[in-house]
Amino acid sequence: MNTALSWIRAYVPELDCTAQEYTDAMTLTGTKVEGFECLDKNLEKIVVGQITKIDPHPDADKLVVCQVDVGNEALQIVTGAPNVTVGAKVPVVLDGGRVAGGHDGGPMPEDGIRIKKGKLRGVESFGMMCSIEELGSSRDFYPEAPENGIYIFPEDTPVGADAVEVLGLHDVVFEYEITSNRVDCYSILGIAREAAATFNKPFCPPEVKATGNDENASDYISVRVEAQDLCPRFCARVVKNVKIGPSPAWMQRRLAASGIRPINNLVDITNYVMEEYGQPMHAYDLDTIRGHQIVVRRAQNGDTFTTLDGQERKLDENVLMICDGEGYIGIAGIMGGENSMITDHVHTMLFEAANFDGTNVRLSAKRIGLRTDASGKFEKGLDPNNAQAAIDRACQLIEELGAGEVVGGMVDVYPEKREPSVVKFSPEKANALLGTDVSVEEMREIFRKIELDWDEEAGTVTAPTFRQDIHCQADLAEEVVRFSGYANVPTTLPTGEATTGKLPFAERVEGVCRDVAESCGFSQAMTYSFESPKVFDKLSLPADDVRRQAIQISNPLGEDYSVMRTSAWNGMLASLSTNYNRRQKQARLYELAKIYLPKALPLTELPDERTKLVLGFYGDGDFYDMKGVVEEVLEKLGMTQRVHYDPQSGEPFLHPGRQAKIVYDGKEIGVLGEVHPKTAAVYGIGEKTYVAELDMPQVTEMADFDRKYLGLARFPAVSRDISMVVPRSVLAGQIEEVIETKGGKLLESYSLFDIYEGAQILAGFKSMAYNVTLRSKDHTLTDQEVTEVMDRILKGLDALGIQRRA
Amino acid sequence: MKEQLEKIRQEALASMERADVLDKLNDIRVAYLGKKGELTQLLKGMRDVSAEERPKVGQMVNETRQALEEALEKKRAELQAKAQEMQLATEVIDVTLPARKHSFGHRHPNTTVLEEVERIFVGMGYEIVDGPEIEYDYYNFEALNIPKNHPARDEQDTFYINDNIVLRTQTSSVQAHVMETRKPPIRILSPGRVYRSDEVDATHSPSFHQIEGLVIDKNITFADLKGTLLEFSKELFGPDTRIKFRPHHFPFTEPSAEVDVSCFKCGGKGCRFCKGSGWLEILGCGMVHPHVLEMSGIDPEEYTGFAFGVGLERITLLKYEIDDMRLLYENDTRFLKQF
């Protein structure tokens, strides 16, 4: 919504403030001003001059030398404009003045263009005559301006006057952000009412007097509303002997400032009233209306209709149509039809000011694919009582502008009159909610300014029907505080029962994951939760993989963002790929990513949203580095049991021989591995890449931050080495399992210190060597104890087909 | 005897004086104080001394031994210090050579800001709660006073899964969940992802984060909301921060406000960062609409409350002067390393 300050001032005549003051004050009472533009920006020293003499330029065919009377002096000005004539009154920039732009209407320089006296091809010129473009506007808003050349003023313009003033450019246009609850403020009058209340000045809306001759509109037209649910009110008035012509300058200026191009008096009046009252209107050529009858009803499925822009529109049964005795003549609230549109030959005109269901207009406009200024207003849900005010105002303007003869009376179908709402109000409760101490007098004054009628005895406030946003005490409290000032509300802190600040356990666990990942060199990534269904193929997931059962967004931004992720792998691989493509030698990333697993598709209940800790890196490290990070995480989470790694994890996007399920306490809590070379190729990562994932809900369940002091060892430890030749198929995990289970209480620790395959070792075998440390808490171990434990371990190893070496 | 002792003493001291390395000092010790050393030899000659003289001579010998030992120790310390000094002189390094760093990873700037916000509110007695991102239409809209076909639904550009389930457009969806399951006093903070169908560009993302705050109790006022957000802003942006409440409209709060904080770059004087206004818009808030309380089973006659919603990325971008929102989701390590 854009409005000119001059138009607001027309209804708040005492309004006296700078554009910045207006912006700040209006914003603080709830009519947010997004910005403003001064129409006279960079227009300096520009007056109305009259050309008294034109001579050819001695040295240039395309230039002429003009003598221009600017009131107090005569200036010689050289121009190349083709349209100058003796006697013409033109805008003249004096020496040292400034204009907004060039004559080509291109982008305007920030500081305008300074004009200085000088010589043009040897002839002195003491100023410049300007075009409308040089004055910062365009022919769109000054249709009378010539296409190429100097703007010419009407003959009665006084010479020497401020040309900017004459053009109505000493004005400021404000742009607002109107909130959806304040439908009334999508109009000049609504904003002017707020401005008057904000600045404590009288609000003087236009006085609309009775209009019309002694005929009656009902003799020209009848109106039947069949779809009353979608059309609470339909007002129609008639104008005969229509005289089409340009509208007056003041109306053109106001429309132009609102960004509306002046067309002719009828169109302009309709647009003017729409801006002023916020009520869209439509004008039909009455002579085209068959049967002199208007019927408002739903369209029939599959019908088509040509709107006045010449486009054929598809209709359905939820589109409300304006019809005449035979067929459609307009889409209600959206656009009129080609068949009934006003032409230059119109003689008798029908004005419509109706009230349509906002939701229906919005949805219809969406389905048809046609949003107009009118539908934009209707869809907010207008006040039916405003329709009559608007149509009467339009007829008044028709009379004032001499655009036709208004027929008396109005055809009005309005079966259920909208009544003002009556809301209970207690000043004490308002102050209690706000935490303020606004006096009853101040509240009384605030309500008066914005036309709320407070019956203090009854304890009620009656809100006019244009204030559709006022339903309860809290709404009125807002009205009070808007004008008593949000800034004047004190700052206090909630009192009452104290509450304990808490962080959920899961978040603490996530915090530890972040700390460990970061101390291992991984930086935190964030990726989108939706991705392309092509991801499943990129990860080579088989057709029956449950992860292909992803939740689909019905209106996605595009296929790339159309399904909710069922794993966090793609985000990680894509992020690593980004780094690889940007020539990063190595990258380590982690993400705490939610995935979304539907219980059933199509979705009827909410899915399982699970957080995954996913880690990934390429460059500088291998599988065991990644495994180390996983174990660091688990250890810091107090998951101190032995972690098992099951190589049978079968992830298609991981190297078949370098991946493992992570098993803890018998539960699969994640997976880790090297990315399959074909998957790495799909993602364009040319390095070996390692990834791991932990299922956070399970990890959170098992995490434990309780610690117990175990004492410091006081008795000596005994260390033994076991060297062995192991069949290749036996995993280190199996050997360690034996050491752990057979080692029993006395086993303190063990470590693999050598592993070797190759020459000197039989094919199909590997050489491995472990160091085992035994210790007792309460005594020095005897040789016999040590031998017993070692024998048990060795026997267990024998069972795996392991040969011991000396 | 006396003369002999004095002679030994002088000789020993003189050779000590000449000693320049620790080894030589050791030789001197052996030569004079060792088992076969001169002093020991002299002591052996004690037999020849008369019984009366013996204690006297013994004392003299001991004095000499003590003096020599002290002198030796002093010289030893001197030589040792000198040796160490020489050693250190050979060990000089170039302290300006590059450091060898432990390569830590970096936290996402969003997380750093979120942790800071959570810390502030947990300190004020708020509990952090989570809520679903894929949400019933009811919680995202209807329970927040936004019935079907309300124009606000269009404004929010919702992603739909189906007629009843949406990707939540605001963390306010957590409000009704919390009110339905808890009794006042309620003080919660609920951060999380929200979704709007905005095309990706420097200032828009179809997925971003909000932080919702909700307080319900007896006698909660609009002034309390203002005070709470002032405290928060001072903690987050610095003690001199001021806030400005501007009237606004949200269907689920009444009165509602948008909140600006004084620009923390220029302190409110106006700069390029705040586009000359001196203020930065950071959040929306208001008093919980009585109808919203009622729908979730809380009596609006007995309880009032306030709610606020902060855009996490908004603060992250402002705080770190990041000029393109896309950077937050690209995960370029060169970007992440800067935080």
Side-chain angles (χ1 to χ4, degrees):
Chain A
M1 179 93 195
N2 290 349
T3 69
L5 182 58
S6 60
W7 203 346
I8 299 296
R9 225 176 239 151
Y11 310 129
V12 191
E14 291 177 30
L15 185 63
D16 181 25
C17 58
T18 66
Q20 191 60 50
E21 284 164 358
Y22 181 87
T23 299
D24 294 343
M26 290 297 279
T27 298
L28 288 179
T29 56
T31 310
K32 186 177 180 187
V33 179
E34 293 270 37
F36 60 83
E37 189 198 343
C38 297
L39 298 183
D40 55 3
K41 187 183 171 196
N42 293 328
L43 300 182
E44 292 169 21
K45 294 176 82 173
I46 304 172
V47 298
V48 178
Q50 185 166 30
I51 301 170
T52 54
K53 186 162 177 258
I54 303 179
D55 293 316
H57 190 287
D59 289 325
D61 291 346
K62 291 196 172 159
L63 298 179
V64 290
V65 181
C66 304
Q67 302 303 321
V68 185
D69 173 10
V70 294
N72 50 0
E73 59 180 327
L75 297 178
Q76 173 170 296
I77 296 175
V78 180
T79 183
N83 67 326
V84 288
T85 53
V86 172
K89 292 180 174 174
V90 295
V92 177
V93 199
L94 306 176
D95 177 34
R98 201 184 281 273
V99 292
H103 61 81
D104 54 358
M108 290 186 275
E110 181 55 30
D111 295 321
I113 299 167
R114 180 160 299 280
I115 302 300
K116 281 186 241 162
K117 66 179 176 189
K119 283 184 179 171
L120 272 92
R121 292 277 189 113
V123 177
E124 279 194 308
S125 183
F126 295 88
M128 185 183 84
M129 294 180 273
C130 9
S131 67
I132 199 67
E133 287 80 14
E134 283 162 326
L135 294 169
S137 189
S138 76
R139 291 186 67 237
D140 277 350
F141 301 126
Y142 290 84
E144 74 280 9
E147 193 164 345
N148 256 317
I150 306 301
Y151 182 82
I152 310 286
F153 286 112
E155 279 172 24
D156 58 354
T157 311
V159 171
D162 176 356
V164 178
E165 174 80 45
V166 174
L167 285 165
L169 288 172
H170 281 314
D171 206 348
V172 187
V173 176
F174 295 99
E175 187 190 342
Y176 304 85
E177 182 200 330
I178 304 294
T179 55
S180 63
N181 60 326
R182 289 304 301 273
V183 180
D184 60 308
C185 284
Y186 287 97
S187 70
I188 302 287
L189 285 173
I191 290 175
R193 186 183 291 111
E194 287 289 322
T198 300
F199 290 93
N200 287 310
K201 304 289 184 196
F203 173 54
C204 313
E207 249 179 76
V208 181
K209 295 177 294 264
T211 44
N213 59 19
D214 52 9
E215 292 179 279
N216 200 323
S218 58
D219 295 333
Y220 286 78
I221 191 79
S222 72
V223 176
R224 190 171 83 242
V225 176
E226 289 180 2
Q228 257 179 36
D229 54 333
L230 301 182
C231 177
R233 187 174 196 184
F234 194 103
C235 301
R237 292 197 66 175
V238 174
V239 178
K240 64 182 198 180
N241 302 324
V242 173
K243 286 189 272 299
I244 291 199
S247 58
W250 61 266
M251 182 174 276
Q252 292 194 13
R253 293 289 63 77
R254 286 178 183 179
L255 288 173
S258 303
I260 297 169
R261 204 154 59 92
I263 309 282
N264 62 40
N265 50 5
L266 290 189
V267 177
D268 291 357
I269 286 172
T270 320
N271 284 334
Y272 187 88
V273 174
M274 177 163 83
E275 289 301 301
E276 194 178 43
Y277 280 75
Q279 166 72 46
M281 298 185 16
H282 188 66
Y284 303 87
D285 185 337
L286 187 62
D287 297 322
T288 67
I289 295 181
R290 295 155 292 190
H292 289 270
Q293 185 188 11
I294 294 279
V295 181
V296 184
R297 62 172 171 84
R298 286 175 163 82
Q300 287 194 348
N301 264 337
D303 280 0
T304 56
F305 175 65
T306 305
T307 41
L308 54 76
D309 55 3
Q311 301 284 313
E312 192 177 85
R313 311 285 176 179
K314 266 196 183 150
L315 307 176
D316 61 60
E317 61 186 355
N318 289 315
V319 178
L320 187 68
M321 298 299 293
I322 311 298
C323 313
D324 63 8
E326 292 176 25
Y328 304 135
I329 56 169
I331 306 177
I334 301 176
M335 195 180 265
E338 201 174 37
N339 55 4
S340 62
M341 68 191 264
I342 299 278
T343 63
D344 287 348
H345 313 293
V346 64
H347 182 71
T348 310
M349 182 185 77
L350 177 77
F351 257 142
E352 161 206 301
N355 187 261
F356 301 116
D357 178 78
T359 303
N360 178 269
V361 170
R362 184 167 58 90
L363 297 177
S364 294
K366 233 172 150 181
R367 281 198 312 281
I368 296 168
L370 177 62
R371 279 196 83 206
T372 57
D373 287 347
S375 76
K377 299 241 188 229
F378 276 120
E379 68 183 33
K380 292 172 173 56
L382 302 180
D383 172 18
N385 292 332
N386 197 30
Q388 181 176 0
I391 204 167
D392 287 347
R393 170 69 167 158
C395 289
Q396 179 187 30
L397 289 169
I398 293 275
E399 286 189 352
E400 279 178 16
L401 270 48
E405 182 184 350
V406 176
V407 171
M410 174 175 78
V411 178
D412 187 8
V413 182
Y414 190 21
E416 279 175 55
K417 187 170 163 39
R418 176 85 56 91
E419 298 294 343
S421 60
V422 179
V423 179
K424 274 194 186 159
F425 179 72
S426 140
E428 294 80 23
K429 275 191 181 173
N431 273 325
L433 180 71
L434 297 170
T436 51
D437 199 12
V438 180
S439 69
V440 168
E441 291 72 36
E442 191 177 350
M443 291 188 193
R444 204 179 282 143
E445 176 57 16
I446 289 168
F447 288 159
R448 186 199 59 75
K449 287 194 292 191
I450 52 175
E451 300 174 34
L452 301 181
D453 186 7
W454 182 11
D455 183 338
E456 292 180 47
E457 266 179 38
T460 57
V461 168
T462 304
T465 50
F466 60 77
R467 288 303 303 271
Q468 300 179 12
D469 57 317
I470 292 180
H471 306 285
C472 64
Q473 167 84 29
D475 295 324
L476 292 167
E478 182 175 65
E479 295 306 296
V480 168
V481 73
R482 278 201 303 132
F483 290 103
S484 67
Y486 275 40
N488 296 324
V489 175
T491 52
T492 56
L493 287 175
T495 50
E497 206 178 314
T499 50
T500 320
K502 281 180 215 162
L503 213 60
F505 187 71
E507 198 164 322
R508 200 172 149 198
V509 170
E510 287 182 12
V512 171
C513 292
R514 284 200 289 265
D515 288 343
V516 175
E518 285 160 23
S519 58
C520 294
F522 290 75
S523 291
Q524 190 184 8
M526 283 193 185
T527 63
Y528 284 149
S529 309
F530 29 56
E531 51 196 18
S532 164
K534 288 189 183 126
V535 162
F536 308 132
D537 294 334
K538 285 174 90 172
L539 294 172
S540 311
L541 300 186
D544 59 350
D545 193 303
V546 70
R547 286 170 290 194
R548 283 184 179 266
Q549 303 299 310
I551 298 160
Q552 295 204 359
I553 298 168
S554 71
N555 58 334
L557 278 183
E559 202 200 9
D560 284 352
Y561 304 114
S562 64
V563 299
M564 298 304 287
R565 63 183 169 195
T566 52
S567 83
W569 298 116
N570 173 64
M572 177 51 65
L573 293 173
S575 297
L576 289 174
S577 164
T578 299
N579 282 282
Y580 184 80
N581 287 327
R582 294 178 183 180
R583 310 251 184 288
Q584 299 299 300
K585 282 206 189 82
Q586 55 146 313
R588 294 187 159 206
L589 293 171
Y590 77 94
E591 183 178 11
L592 282 157
K594 264 194 184 174
I595 62 163
Y596 311 84
L597 306 176
K599 288 162 194 156
L601 283 177
L603 210 58
T604 50
E605 57 179 314
L606 298 187
D608 183 14
E609 294 185 11
R610 297 183 84 80
T611 302
K612 297 279 180 181
L613 170 64
V614 57
L615 298 135
F617 74 86
Y618 67 81
D620 202 16
D622 64 16
F623 180 91
Y624 301 104
D625 288 285
M626 186 54 97
K627 187 173 170 185
V629 179
V630 169
E631 294 194 353
E632 294 278 8
V633 168
L634 298 180
E635 205 178 301
K636 278 280 186 298
L637 293 174
M639 296 167 67
T640 51
Q641 287 181 38
R642 194 175 138 70
V643 185
H644 293 268
Y645 296 90
D646 178 356
Q648 308 300 318
S649 66
E651 286 290 17
F653 50 88
L654 296 180
H655 188 302
R658 295 182 177 180
Q659 59 171 304
K661 285 183 206 166
I662 304 165
V663 180
Y664 187 87
D665 199 12
K667 295 186 186 86
E668 257 184 69
I669 57 168
V671 64
L672 89 154
E674 181 179 317
V675 174
H676 198 295
K678 78 180 172 201
T679 310
V682 167
Y683 281 92
I685 307 173
E687 293 261 2
K688 286 195 172 180
T689 304
Y690 299 90
V691 291
E693 183 196 71
L694 286 173
D695 182 52
M696 291 309 292
Q698 288 193 79
V699 168
T700 302
E701 191 120 309
M702 296 187 245
D704 184 354
F705 296 114
D706 269 355
R707 299 286 185 270
K708 296 277 184 291
Y709 173 57
L710 297 174
L712 299 177
R714 289 195 292 150
F715 296 91
V718 177
S719 169
R720 291 281 186 274
D721 289 349
I722 312 172
S723 276
M724 48 206 155
V725 176
V726 181
R728 262 199 101 195
S729 60
V730 174
L731 305 178
Q734 290 171 276
I735 294 170
E736 292 176 6
E737 178 106 38
V738 169
I739 296 174
E740 273 197 22
T741 51
K742 303 295 180 189
K745 275 201 308 214
L746 298 183
L747 179 72
E748 183 175 81
S749 64
Y750 57 90
S751 67
L752 175 70
F753 67 90
D754 187 47
I755 180 161
Y756 176 74
E757 254 177 275
Q760 295 152 17
I761 304 292
L762 209 58
F765 287 84
K766 56 192 168 185
S767 151
M768 293 175 88
Y770 273 89
N771 174 273
V772 174
T773 304
L774 305 176
R775 194 199 297 265
S776 164
K777 266 186 174 179
D778 47 20
H779 65 280
T780 303
L781 292 176
T782 62
D783 281 351
Q784 198 193 340
E785 283 177 298
V786 174
T787 310
E788 273 174 20
V789 174
M790 290 310 293
D791 281 350
R792 278 205 306 271
I793 291 176
L794 297 175
K795 219 181 261 172
L797 293 175
D798 290 346
L800 293 175
I802 288 169
Q803 300 161 31
R804 264 172 285 138
R805 306 174 80 187
Chain B
M1 192 77 176
K2 206 173 169 184
E3 293 79 41
Q4 263 179 308
L5 272 173
E6 187 55 27
K7 191 175 159 241
I8 290 169
R9 188 172 134 128
Q10 291 303 330
E11 278 175 15
L13 289 174
S15 51
M16 274 184 224
E17 195 61 38
R18 286 191 303 272
D20 54 356
V21 289
L22 280 167
D23 286 354
K24 280 189 187 161
L25 212 56
N26 212 31
D27 293 346
I28 294 169
R29 177 188 293 275
V30 174
Y32 291 95
L33 303 175
K35 272 184 186 164
K36 288 176 182 168
E38 288 194 33
L39 205 59
T40 321
Q41 293 301 324
L42 196 71
L43 217 51
K44 282 179 184 159
M46 283 280 279
R47 291 175 218 129
D48 306 335
V49 179
S50 64
E52 306 91 81
E53 291 263 320
R54 241 179 228 175
K56 228 176 174 181
V57 173
Q59 195 188 344
M60 277 164 62
V61 171
N62 278 336
E63 272 172 18
T64 307
R65 170 179 276 277
Q66 208 176 333
L68 289 183
E69 275 175 351
E70 273 170 23
L72 268 171
E73 179 52 34
K74 197 174 152 216
K75 186 69 183 177
R76 196 193 59 78
E78 235 169 66
L79 287 177
Q80 206 165 35
K82 206 171 134 200
Q84 192 171 45
E85 212 170 285
M86 280 166 63
Q87 170 73 19
L88 293 179
T90 65
E91 289 176 359
V92 171
I93 60 164
D94 180 354
V95 297
T96 64
L97 284 175
R100 202 174 294 128
K101 277 192 223 162
H102 203 81
S103 57
F104 284 109
H106 298 260
R107 195 152 294 193
H108 196 283
N110 266 349
T111 306
T112 307
V113 173
L114 175 59
E115 283 176 334
E116 179 68 4
V117 173
E118 288 186 347
R119 185 188 64 74
I120 295 168
F121 282 103
V122 167
M124 290 199 259
Y126 288 63
E127 184 176 342
I128 312 293
V129 302
D130 199 13
E133 294 173 20
I134 299 183
E135 181 60 283
Y136 289 113
D137 183 279
Y138 175 80
Y139 287 99
N140 193 68
F141 290 123
E142 282 179 58
L144 293 169
N145 241 356
I146 311 171
K148 286 243 190 279
N149 291 326
H150 190 285
R153 290 190 177 214
D154 272 13
E155 285 166 25
Q156 294 198 344
D157 303 318
T158 312
F159 285 121
Y160 284 90
I161 303 299
N162 57 41
D163 283 349
N164 286 318
I165 299 177
V166 302
L167 298 190
R168 68 173 173 189
T169 58
Q170 48 198 6
T171 43
S172 307
S173 57
V174 176
Q175 286 187 19
H177 284 292
V178 168
M179 289 191 281
E180 282 173 0
T181 50
R182 294 168 186 232
K183 287 204 161 25
I186 292 170
R187 285 185 195 188
I188 60 103
L189 193 77
S190 187
R193 282 192 182 203
V194 300
Y195 302 87
R196 308 239 175 126
S197 63
D198 283 324
E199 292 287 348
V200 182
D201 65 23
T203 55
H204 292 89
S205 168
S207 156
F208 54 99
H209 295 77
Q210 284 185 338
I211 308 166
E212 186 79 6
L214 177 70
V215 171
I216 312 272
D217 201 353
K218 287 177 181 161
N219 305 318
I220 296 291
T221 69
F222 194 56
D224 294 339
L225 170 60
K226 243 182 110 172
T228 299
L229 293 177
L230 179 62
E231 282 300 308
F232 161 67
S233 303
K234 285 181 167 180
E235 276 284 312
L236 192 65
F237 299 115
D240 297 330
T241 307
R242 289 163 291 124
I243 58 171
K244 181 165 77 177
F245 267 50
R246 285 182 283 103
H248 197 68
H249 170 68
F250 303 108
F252 41 98
T253 51
E254 190 76 26
S256 307
E258 277 185 338
V259 180
D260 299 340
V261 293
S262 51
C263 176
F264 44 80
K265 296 283 172 233
C266 65
K269 290 194 290 281
C271 63
R272 270 178 53 190
F273 195 67
C274 55
K275 296 189 183 95
S277 72
W279 296 97
L280 299 166
E281 182 186 326
I282 59 157
L283 60 85
C285 64
M287 300 303 291
V288 180
H289 198 289
H291 190 227
V292 169
L293 291 173
E294 212 166 46
M295 280 189 281
S296 294
I298 290 179
D299 181 3
E301 291 295 317
E302 191 177 355
Y303 293 102
T304 52
F306 61 72
F308 54 86
V310 185
L312 177 59
E313 277 81 355
R314 168 95 185 131
I315 294 183
T316 304
L317 297 181
L318 285 175
K319 205 172 157 92
Y320 297 112
E321 297 182 45
I322 301 167
D323 55 7
D324 191 329
M325 199 164 170
R326 286 169 288 205
L327 289 165
L328 296 176
Y329 293 95
E330 274 179 354
N331 306 314
D332 189 321
T333 49
R334 292 168 302 172
F335 169 79
L336 294 171
K337 267 181 197 155
Q338 298 179 27
F339 305 99

